[in-house]
Amino acid sequence: MLASKAADKFAAKPEAYQPKYNGFCANALSLGEGLIATDGQVWEFFDNQLHLFFAEKGRKRWLEGDWKAYQQQADLAWQQALQ
């Protein structure tokens, strides 16, 4: 039943589950380390957006630190990577 509810939520709004930064590690971007691929196993929602992380250490950094500042840094790095 729980899986069905999750599937219903996804079906209703799939864009909400689209990973930010195209699935690259949010923490690596925030640290200026570039585009580090993830495997989708370490993740967290920040500001209702799915963020993926290369390792638990990065997710924990965001949870325990100033994730809004980290996200701003990652956003800037992401924009630069797209150029």
Side-chain angles (χ1 to χ4, degrees):
M1 186 70 140
L2 185 59
S4 176
K5 286 183 182 181
D8 290 345
K9 286 175 112 176
F10 177 80
K13 195 172 181 185
E15 66 276 4
Y17 299 93
Q18 182 72 11
K20 192 159 173 101
Y21 314 120
N22 204 29
F24 288 101
C25 180
N27 192 53
L29 282 164
S30 73
L31 292 170
E33 296 175 351
L35 300 176
I36 306 295
T38 65
D39 63 10
Q41 292 187 33
V42 182
W43 55 270
E44 190 67 50
F45 279 91
F46 293 96
D47 200 23
N48 293 319
Q49 294 180 312
L50 177 61
H51 292 66
L52 299 182
F53 298 89
F54 177 78
E56 177 62 27
K57 184 177 178 181
R59 185 184 81 88
K60 189 173 181 180
R61 175 179 174 257
W62 279 50
L63 285 170
E64 295 175 354
D66 185 354
W67 70 264
K68 289 182 181 182
Y70 303 155
Q71 184 168 272
Q72 288 178 345
Q73 294 162 341
D75 287 347
L76 288 173
W78 179 244
Q79 290 306 313
Q80 290 174 349
L82 293 176
Q83 295 176 355

